[in-house]
Structure formats: structure tokens, C-alpha cells
Amino acid sequence: MAVPKRRTSKSRRDKRRTHWVLNAPATNPCPKCAKPRLPHRVCPHCGYYKDNQVLEVKES
Amino acid sequence: MRHRKTGRKLGRTAAHRRALKRNLAEAIFRHERVKTTLAKAKEIRPYVEKLITLSRRDTVHARRMFARDIQDRKLIQRVFSEIGPRYQNRPGGYTRVLKLGTRHGDGAEMAIIELVERSPVIEAERST
């Protein structure tokens, strides 16, 4: 069975991990309340989607 | 391979899926707006639209075809007298799916599925 000849060095291990990155989700300002909002979603802050479509009560 | 196989299984058996579709469709006719997962909303949409198309033509045959899926007689009555006529001039697209973002707990994408023209009566009930 094929088996590693050498233990992976810290350097190689860490270099491999340089690509492990998380990106923040893309948000756009809500046209109604200007708070950040995921695209194509109802705004969770003001409950609006498109023009004046009030969609839900916002109390939390 | 699932090449060209349409539809979602939603983690259910065939019978369970059918029951779920019927229950969700019934809820949509009753409340005109329903909050569910995005996958279920998308899955249910063509089914509900077909039922509404049936309800635009008020014949005994159409009612019987409709009753195959929705068995509540009162509800059938209401759909044929209120919802069907409302869409007389709309060539499909009776429902709208709005994305809401993810749910806490399992991160499922949630959505609202609603009839495009809602009855003011039901809307008023909601706000109380």
C-alpha cells in the first residue's frame, strides 16, 4: 500500500491551508431602510420587497 | 443517475410527498399566503397553479378533477367561486414565491408562497 515517506512539514501544511478562506455573504443596501440585505430576499429589517410590498410585521 | 428526472424528493416517500403537496395546496387556498421552505414552495407551485387553472372553468368535470386532490367540499366551493374567477384573465402565474433567508436551527432557506391577487377579507383577518 502506498504510504507517505515523510511527515508533512508545518510549512507545507500551512501553505496548503492558505486557501481556506471564508468570504462574507454579498449584501446590498435595502432600498427602503438602507440596512444591508441579502439580494433577492425580503428585507429582514423592514419587511419590504420591491416597491411598497409590505410583507410582514417587523417586530422582534 | 438523475439525468432528466425532475422534482425534489424532499426526504419523503412517494405517499408522504403526495400528502404533503395536498396539505400545502389546501393551506394555500385557505390562507392565500403560506410560509414554508423554499424547496417546498418551489415544488408546490406548479401543482397549485394547475389546480387554480382547473378552478377557472366551473364545470362538474373540473370540480371532480379538483376534488381528486382537495377533498374539503366547502373549500372546493370557495376556490371555484372566489379564486377561480379572480384569475379569469391571467394566463398562469397565479402565485408568487418570496425568499426570506435562512431559518435558525437547520439553516433552511425559507420562503413565502402567496396568491398574486389576494382577497381583502383574508388580508384583513391576518392583520388582526
Side-chain angles (χ1 to χ4, degrees):
Chain A
M1 199 172 57
V3 114
K5 186 171 192 170
R6 281 264 185 285
R7 169 188 177 126
T8 310
S9 69
K10 282 184 260 182
S11 164
R12 269 181 179 271
R13 180 200 65 202
D14 293 347
K15 274 194 273 185
R16 181 168 62 240
R17 292 180 184 171
T18 59
H19 293 287
W20 296 12
V21 281
L22 289 176
N23 296 109
T27 59
N28 285 321
C30 166
K32 175 84 185 156
C33 67
K35 292 191 183 132
R37 183 208 58 169
L38 288 171
H40 311 294
R41 305 296 133 91
V42 173
C43 173
H45 308 289
C46 64
Y48 273 72
Y49 186 71
K50 287 197 177 160
D51 309 327
N52 267 349
Q53 233 168 352
V54 102
L55 277 169
E56 54 206 48
V57 255
K58 57 171 168 179
E59 43 224 293
S60 54
Chain B
M1 283 183 288
R2 59 150 286 291
H3 294 176
R4 297 178 68 90
K5 289 181 189 168
T6 60
R8 274 162 266 247
K9 288 186 170 181
L10 299 170
R12 286 158 172 84
T13 62
H16 190 176
R17 264 195 306 277
R18 188 156 83 137
L20 174 81
K21 273 192 175 183
R22 288 177 167 180
N23 287 339
L24 266 175
E26 206 173 307
I28 292 167
F29 289 132
R30 244 188 212 117
H31 305 290
E32 314 222 329
R33 169 189 273 187
V34 165
K35 182 179 171 185
T36 179
T37 64
L38 181 60
K40 284 179 203 158
K42 283 183 168 177
E43 197 54 31
I44 221 70
R45 185 176 191 175
Y47 176 74
V48 170
E49 300 239 348
K50 275 163 196 139
L51 285 175
I52 293 177
T53 302
L54 263 186
S55 76
R56 302 202 311 174
R57 196 163 36 96
D58 195 356
T59 61
V60 177
H61 180 61
R63 277 174 185 257
R64 283 180 182 161
M65 294 292 282
F66 190 90
R68 287 171 160 191
D69 289 313
I70 308 289
Q71 266 119 31
D72 183 332
R73 296 177 141 258
K74 273 196 195 136
L75 187 64
I76 297 175
Q77 196 74 28
R78 232 200 66 218
V79 171
F80 275 80
S81 64
E82 289 172 32
I83 298 181
R86 214 185 289 167
Y87 297 120
Q88 230 38 263
N89 298 313
R90 188 181 285 273
Y94 319 114
T95 59
R96 173 185 295 133
V97 172
L98 295 157
K99 297 185 184 96
L100 293 178
T102 52
R103 163 166 80 187
H104 283 297
D106 64 356
E109 183 93 40
M110 299 303 286
I112 280 175
I113 178 164
E114 62 181 17
L115 297 182
V116 168
E117 296 163 46
R118 264 155 293 125
S119 113
V121 186
I122 290 188
E123 282 296 281
E125 272 172 31
R126 191 186 317 279
S127 52
T128 53

